Amino acid sequence: MSLDATLTMLKELTDAKGVSGFEKEPREVMKKYIEPYADEITYDGLGSLIAKKIGDKNGPKIMLTGHMDEIGFMVSYIEDKGFIRFQTIGGWWGQVMLNQRVTIVTSKGDTITGIIGSKPPHILPAEERKKPVEIKDMYIDVGASSKDEVLSWGIRPGDMIVPYFEFTVLKNEKLLMAKAWDNRIGCAIVIEVLKNLKGVKHPNIVYGVGAVQEEVGLRGSKTAAFKIEPDIGFALDVGIAGDTPGVTEKDAQGKLGDGPQIILYDHSLVAHKGLRDFVVGVAEDLKIPYQYDAIPGGGTDAGSIHLTKAGVPSIAVTIATRYIHSHAGILHRDDFENAVKLLTEVVKRLDKKTVEKIKFE
């Protein structure tokens, strides 16, 4: 099918290769799409992109953050026979990795295809078949016969390795499948909110951030927030979908198509009550669908933003996504569009008086 402008942007963002610490390619895509709507583009010292949009120059500073990095791997060393050992970057579960295709990006920018190898079941003893393969025992096969051949192709320790998957619109065209939804969908929300504010009077200064290195410790949002010194912080990210077999509502409440998720609690943040109530109030006034979730593990960039300097009221608004932290996830286009609508309307209402009231709720 032909892709409309929104789907084209989502494809470019998710197809871009950029694991934590290697965000150049997604940063260039994000800059391309957000620059027309920003008054100024700057960067923090780690490479996070900061797009500034001024409404009222004396108004509060509102930080909207999506992180540009995705989970992936790094070449750690090359064996004599040409097989590649790797370091995981971000949180991986070994059972989703075997026999998956990957792309190695050399320091020269060349891309080389490989696969995470596995033993055929025919030669596995019965007991070994029952055991998951440990990540430390995995390797990547790029079709080389020796270490020298791998080196001749430009592959070196430290090179980025990215899951291979192409953006796909499913038969139900509302469902979109891609790698790196975590968290290029957050970057897309930031872009679209600034787009909606183009030529619109808003009582604040908006900072649309594409943060680096979220998957390895919420790092870029911390450095960007120190540079911005925001009054209010939003993390836009993926959340867990609980609408697949084997997942109960006790595990995850999110359902595709039921609206953006308001995260009440995660390992990095207790959502600020005043900001949470304000966001929910806007959603209910405008009849924008939303859903709640609380996640005992994991965290978002709001976890770093809210601890900046004297503290910043913050919350995470997420898009329920199936199969996160694997080679490909699935989300619902309506949830993305409703998140954009909600955040746009929230920003329009965050004047100085409202922000001061939120802080003490």
Side-chain angles (χ1 to χ4, degrees):
M1 63 172 289
S2 60
L3 303 182
D4 60 28
T6 297
L7 293 176
T8 298
M9 176 186 69
L10 294 175
K11 174 177 171 57
E12 289 186 30
L13 283 167
T14 54
D15 284 356
K17 297 175 285 297
V19 305
S20 307
F22 298 83
E23 294 93 351
K24 180 179 179 181
E25 190 174 325
R27 181 170 57 238
E28 289 174 349
V29 176
M30 187 172 182
K31 181 184 178 186
K32 166 187 164 183
Y33 279 101
I34 205 168
E35 196 166 31
Y37 314 116
D39 296 313
E40 179 185 52
I41 301 283
T42 58
Y43 305 91
D44 69 13
L46 295 183
S48 299
L49 180 150
I50 303 170
K52 183 178 180 181
K53 169 74 170 65
I54 302 171
D56 179 351
K57 65 180 181 180
N58 297 313
K61 294 189 258 186
I62 312 301
M63 181 174 175
L64 305 175
T65 304
H67 68 85
M68 300 182 292
D69 58 315
E70 62 187 297
I71 64 168
F73 316 98
M74 177 193 289
V75 176
S76 56
Y77 71 96
I78 303 162
E79 296 185 348
D80 291 340
K81 292 184 178 180
F83 297 105
I84 293 170
R85 299 289 180 173
F86 58 87
Q87 168 66 47
T88 54
I89 295 181
W92 280 95
W93 183 40
Q95 287 186 239
V96 304
M97 291 168 53
L98 279 184
N99 268 78
Q100 293 289 334
R101 189 171 168 181
V102 296
T103 302
I104 299 176
V105 183
T106 73
S107 56
K108 296 179 182 178
D110 298 328
T111 56
I112 295 170
T113 301
I115 190 168
I116 299 176
S118 67
K119 295 179 184 178
H122 312 67
I123 61 172
L124 292 176
E127 284 305 308
E128 193 172 344
R129 289 190 192 196
K130 299 175 185 177
K131 296 177 181 178
V133 179
E134 292 190 44
I135 293 174
K136 66 181 179 63
D137 294 325
M138 296 182 189
Y139 61 88
I140 292 170
D141 186 345
V142 291
S145 58
S146 68
K147 179 178 181 177
D148 288 343
E149 188 171 20
V150 172
L151 293 173
S152 74
W153 295 343
I155 298 174
R156 298 289 186 276
D159 285 346
M160 169 174 63
I161 307 169
V162 184
Y164 177 90
F165 199 88
E166 293 185 6
F167 177 86
T168 304
V169 179
L170 297 181
K171 183 69 173 176
N172 174 355
E173 294 182 3
K174 291 286 189 178
L175 297 188
L176 310 176
M177 184 163 62
K179 76 170 183 64
W181 280 134
D182 188 3
N183 181 32
R184 309 287 161 68
I185 196 63
C187 298
I189 294 170
V190 172
I191 292 166
E192 291 294 292
V193 171
L194 260 67
K195 179 180 179 180
N196 285 349
L197 294 173
K198 182 74 171 178
V200 174
K201 187 175 181 181
H202 53 96
N204 44 46
I205 306 169
V206 178
Y207 293 84
V209 177
V212 299
Q213 298 192 40
E214 189 268 359
E215 296 291 358
V216 290
L218 318 181
R219 296 173 185 173
S221 56
K222 183 175 184 178
T223 51
F226 263 75
K227 180 168 182 170
I228 294 166
E229 300 182 19
D231 294 292
I232 295 287
F234 292 93
L236 298 318
D237 211 323
V238 296
I240 298 171
D243 56 0
T244 55
V247 183
T248 69
E249 288 193 352
K250 291 185 293 183
D251 301 316
Q253 300 174 50
K255 295 178 176 60
L256 269 60
D258 279 9
Q261 298 168 296
I262 310 298
I263 304 302
L264 305 172
Y265 173 92
D266 62 39
H267 191 61
S268 70
L269 176 78
V270 178
H272 187 279
K273 181 184 182 302
L275 185 56
R276 180 198 73 198
D277 291 347
F278 180 76
V279 171
V280 169
V282 172
E284 292 183 345
D285 286 347
L286 298 176
K287 296 182 170 52
I288 300 171
Y290 69 92
Q291 49 189 325
Y292 291 117
D293 208 353
I295 307 166
T300 70
D301 281 324
S304 285
I305 296 167
H306 85 289
L307 295 176
T308 300
K309 296 199 169 181
V312 181
S314 300
I315 195 169
V317 178
T318 65
I319 305 299
T321 306
R322 295 174 181 167
Y323 321 122
I324 60 174
H325 282 227
S326 69
H327 267 58
I330 297 174
L331 53 71
H332 199 294
R333 181 169 178 169
D334 287 355
D335 293 337
F336 162 65
E337 292 179 349
N338 279 315
V340 171
K341 182 178 179 181
L342 176 58
L343 268 297
T344 301
E345 296 303 322
V346 164
V347 168
K348 288 179 182 178
R349 291 160 173 76
L350 285 173
D351 56 30
K352 187 176 293 186
K353 182 178 179 181
T354 301
V355 168
E356 286 305 308
K357 183 181 177 184
I358 283 171
K359 288 181 178 180
F360 298 102
E361 285 293 317

